[in-house]
Amino acid sequence: MSHDSPPVRRLADWDHDRLGRLAAEHATPLYVVDLDRVAANYERFASAFPDAHVMYAAKAHTGRAVLSKLLETGADIECAAWGELQRAIDAGADPDTLQYTAVNPPDRDLDYATDLAEEHPGLTVTGGARDTFDRLEARGYDGRVAIRINPGIGTGHHEKVATGKDAKFGVPYDEVPELAEELNERFDLVGIHAHAGSGVLHDDLDDHCRAISKVADMGRTVEDRVGGLEFVDFGGGFGVPYREDEEPLDMRVVGEKVRDAVGELEAQIKLEPGRYVVADAELILTEVNTIKETPAATVVGVDASLATLIRPAMFDSYHPIRNLTAPERAAEPVSVGGPCCTSADVFCTDRPIARPEREDLLAIGNAGAYGYELANQFHSQPRPAEVAIEGGETRVVRERETLEDVTRLER
């Protein structure tokens, strides 16, 4: 791992001149991802858990450049939908190494997974409902399965990501031992899985470790019932600091806390970081087009919107914003919003930023996790281009959509 890789990258740490050149060449809004940072984040996480099998949770960012870089770095991939399975394979993943976590899977997802497993029996399918296993069996599947359990403890930055206590996710905790015995007769039961939540930082770490401990207890119970498991998968959830005054996790300390929470376990520990790997490796460049002084606020209009980055509207998420054109200007409280006709299209309200002027270039940070993944075409806005930085070079890894792309499937 690179020794010059800090535990968090702030907006001030990016090369502002390079970002300005990229915006001039490729226009805005523009996603910029640093693939070397992606690799460094993964390596830092993996080094904190030397005895664990660390898989990247693809749903955080399924761009081919990101997946390929992580595969090159040594990561395996965990997928939550059939499209992610296919994209991982397209990026170079060996299908026998993939893990598919099915959440209320549509028929096409299960059809794809069972067809894939016929040629690649190393594929592992994780189910969170008895119904899912019945549907797998009805398709003639008798291969590798894991049970997703609901530990009843949810953690993370927002209630919408506290999956560990959401009935949508996982088999109820008390039902797991009996189901494990049953599935051990019907399939090759290789593990159990849980995911307590997402965006876990210092304040949530104790609760997260309580959930891990509870899952480990169930792992030991299931091992006693069925005679051993290959793995117990504790999911991901480890966060990064989005706010400038938040401190990053010390992964060495986190590794010790997790090992203490797990205790003695014969099965291999699996972990699935997603956000931790990609969040601070990507930002959005956006240009100021409007400055409006009102009695209530100074409104700064930009060409990015909730179609570019929906997390502030969806999760009330904080993303750092920096004026790259003139960071030395005096900071003034401003509200930054995009061109969508909804009050939800706001990136910040009354936040001190080096006073923007029209045509200034702003950067919106920590956009790598669930940024482009949730980008959309609201207001018929084509999705932005994505440029990758790697080894000092830059290249376009995702073309900017056109209006023709937005409408080409219409009839």
Side-chain angles (χ1 to χ4, degrees), residues 320-383:
I321 300 175
R322 185 174 176 86
N323 187 336
L324 301 185
T325 300
E328 74 285 351
R329 284 191 205 134
E332 296 184 13
V334 297
S335 298
V336 179
C340 292
C341 189
T342 167
S343 298
D345 187 23
V346 176
F347 294 111
C348 70
T349 302
D350 293 331
R351 187 187 302 177
I353 297 173
R355 180 177 172 84
E357 297 178 0
R358 195 189 308 161
E359 298 184 357
D360 279 356
L361 183 66
L362 306 186
I364 303 172
N366 280 3
Y370 310 101
Y372 210 109
E373 285 303 301
L374 295 173
N376 59 83
Q377 298 169 332
F378 183 46
H379 276 334
S380 296
Q381 296 186 82
R383 285 176 292 193

Side-chain angles (χ1 to χ4, degrees), residues 74-92:
D76 285 329
I77 310 294
E78 182 269 339
C79 303
W82 78 271
E84 291 179 8
L85 287 168
Q86 183 62 60
R87 292 178 76 172
I89 294 168
D90 290 345

Side-chain angles (χ1 to χ4, degrees), residues 176-188:
V176 172
E178 180 181 342
L179 180 61
E181 289 185 334
E182 177 187 323
L183 296 183
N184 196 46
E185 299 296 324
R186 299 162 59 190
F187 303 94
D188 180 12

Side-chain angles (χ1 to χ4, degrees), residues 1 10 23 77 91 236 242 253 272 360:
M1 185 177 71
R10 311 289 187 181
I77 310 294
Y242 282 68
V253 173
E272 301 170 2
D360 279 356

Side-chain angles (χ1 to χ4, degrees), residues 281-298:
E282 189 155 26
L283 52 71
I284 296 166
L285 299 177
T286 183
E287 183 176 283
V288 176
N289 55 53
T290 304
I291 303 291
K292 180 169 60 173
E293 305 284 356
T294 77
T298 297

